Amino acid sequence: QSVLTQPPSVSAAPGQKVTISCSGSSSNIVNSYVSWYQQLPGTAPKLLIYDNNKRPSGIPDRFSGSKSGTSATLGITGLQTGDEADYYCATWDSSLGDVVFGGGTKLTVL
Amino acid sequence: QLQLQESGPGLVKPSETLSLTCTVSNGSISSSNYYWGWIRQPPGKGLEWIGSMYYSGGTYYNPSLKSRVIISVDTSKNHFSLKLSSVTAADTAVYYCARHKGVFIVGRHWFDPWGQGTLVTVSS
């Protein structure tokens, strides 16, 4: 059981917007930076967001990240069928001394 | 662009040591400000950080695995390695290597890019 809680699944129609939450605590999200990863079926994870809200080169601005208190959120606008994937948040947990990942959220584009 | 590729046995017997290597291409493993890390993913499950090492030394390990893990870097071969001892079936997973941007003092971490991953099965 991860210390970061994500909804197991979310879904939305093509062209719509979806948000994925990542809930933590004062020992992780509050005082650390959050990153987000996209894992397409059968492939390695890919960095989507780092430092809470920054996008690496090549990541479209349809993807956004935010953080407030003990939670972080990944937003995806203009959903495409190619966005169907598992999404993971990650951060540092100072109590555990560990880089921790959320349990992952499966996005379905209906 | 920077590429990473894992290699090693796909099958390891229980109680033995799992050994994997990650070869870095199109870039130097001696790049400053980056660690080199390992992450694993059991079949159908989520991601778990194993540990990371800076090219000049300095390692950080997942506390739950620390007693069994050794990560090393060979700058002459531009690769880094993972050894996980006393494996059990619970260590069956896809193992990924990745470049790790880590600023541990402020809890700033991300992994990019990742290798394609290699499945290691622990079975007799």
Side-chain angles (χ1 to χ4, degrees):
Chain A
Q1 198 78 345
S2 176
V3 297
L4 300 180
T5 302
Q6 297 182 233
S9 63
V10 296
S11 62
Q16 297 299 303
K17 174 182 178 178
V18 71
T19 60
I20 297 173
S21 61
C22 176
S23 178
S25 69
S26 58
S27 68
N28 43 64
I29 289 180
V30 170
N31 294 305
S32 297
Y33 293 80
V34 177
S35 55
W36 289 91
Y37 303 86
Q38 176 193 59
Q39 187 174 34
L40 296 169
T43 70
K46 174 184 176 182
L47 178 67
L48 281 181
I49 298 289
Y50 68 99
D51 283 358
N52 303 327
N53 55 17
K54 296 177 182 175
R55 285 177 287 104
S57 173
I59 301 299
D61 59 6
R62 299 190 298 109
F63 296 90
S64 64
S66 63
K67 190 186 88 166
S68 179
T70 60
S71 293
T73 302
L74 173 70
I76 311 173
T77 59
L79 277 172
Q80 303 172 2
T81 56
D83 296 332
E84 287 202 332
D86 293 324
Y87 292 84
Y88 294 89
C89 60
T91 191
W92 175 257
D93 190 293
S94 57
S95 293
L96 298 174
D98 191 6
V99 175
V100 291
F101 288 88
T105 298
K106 183 176 182 61
L107 168 64
T108 300
V109 181
L110 301 169
Chain B
Q1 71 274 26
L2 189 75
Q3 292 182 318
L4 291 82
Q5 177 70 58
E6 305 88 350
S7 60
L11 181 64
V12 181
K13 290 182 168 56
S15 81
E16 295 190 345
T17 296
L18 177 160
S19 296
L20 295 174
T21 295
C22 180
T23 300
V24 178
S25 57
N26 301 325
S28 174
I29 203 168
S30 302
S31 298
S32 58
N33 300 319
Y34 287 102
Y35 287 76
W36 301 92
W38 291 94
I39 303 102
R40 68 181 182 179
Q41 184 173 35
K45 297 188 178 180
L47 301 166
E48 179 182 39
W49 175 64
I50 299 170
S52 299
M53 182 172 185
Y54 198 63
Y55 78 94
S56 59
T59 52
Y60 288 86
Y61 296 129
N62 181 326
S64 68
L65 299 170
K66 187 175 183 177
S67 63
R68 300 194 291 131
V69 174
I70 297 175
I71 295 175
S72 59
V73 170
D74 188 332
T75 55
S76 67
K77 295 181 180 179
N78 217 41
H79 74 206
F80 61 107
S81 301
L82 168 70
K83 291 188 184 300
L84 179 65
S85 61
S86 305
V87 297
T88 69
D91 294 309
T92 293
V94 175
Y95 285 75
Y96 296 101
C97 60
R99 186 177 64 174
H100 175 187
K101 177 64 174 182
V103 186
F104 287 83
I105 196 168
V106 295
R108 188 177 179 221
H109 300 272
W110 68 85
F111 299 91
D112 178 59
W114 297 55
Q116 66 181 32
T118 187
L119 175 63
V120 179
T121 301
V122 178
S123 175
S124 55

